[in-house]
Amino acid sequence: MDLQEKSNEAINQLHRVDFDAMNMDQLKAVSKLVMEARRRQGKARIGVLQTGDRVMVTSGRKTNRGRIPKQMNGHVVEIKRTRVVVDCGGHGTWRVPGTMLEKI
């Protein structure tokens, strides 16, 4: 079973869960599990990067008003514990979490 099939199976299982029947403590526990999984994946992405690597940054801004594209290419300038400093050329330098990065 490849990664895509596992992902689809997990999503299908989540669709079977009745979230409306859960109480607040159960919903908070589910939310915490998802946040921790995202944090682990972000740190894993940061772990494979080195200074000078080319990356694609996905902007998390809701209203860009045409000034900032949804996706920008840049070079890694510095790697911190939870964020990476990326130089996106004419769009400036950004401190980006690992979840918003993809190595090119």
Side-chain angles (χ1 to χ4, degrees):
M1 185 182 294
D2 69 340
L3 185 62
Q4 183 67 28
E5 289 175 358
K6 286 181 182 179
S7 176
N8 288 338
E9 182 180 328
I11 291 171
N12 288 337
Q13 288 176 355
L14 284 174
H15 282 296
R16 289 185 216 123
V17 175
D18 186 11
F19 291 105
D20 293 330
M22 295 177 132
N23 64 28
M24 246 347 191
D25 290 335
Q26 292 170 328
L27 289 171
K28 285 179 184 178
V30 169
S31 174
K32 185 176 179 182
L33 288 172
V34 170
M35 286 184 348
E36 288 174 358
R38 289 182 63 183
R39 187 178 313 121
R40 282 192 303 271
Q41 284 195 0
K43 286 197 177 224
R45 285 183 182 181
I46 289 174
V48 299
L49 293 176
Q50 296 178 359
T51 303
D53 284 347
R54 281 191 56 76
V55 292
M56 181 173 62
V57 178
T58 305
S59 174
R61 293 200 174 188
K62 301 288 186 213
T63 58
N64 293 330
R65 299 188 185 152
R67 292 180 284 220
I68 302 165
K70 295 277 186 197
Q71 295 180 335
M72 301 176 278
N73 293 331
H75 290 89
V76 174
V77 176
E78 183 179 359
I79 300 171
K80 299 184 182 231
R81 188 169 37 130
T82 59
R83 309 258 174 179
V84 177
V85 179
V86 179
D87 181 16
C88 295
H91 298 292
T93 303
W94 295 77
R95 282 184 31 220
V96 184
T99 56
M100 293 174 64
L101 287 174
E102 189 172 324
K103 189 173 180 179
I104 300 177

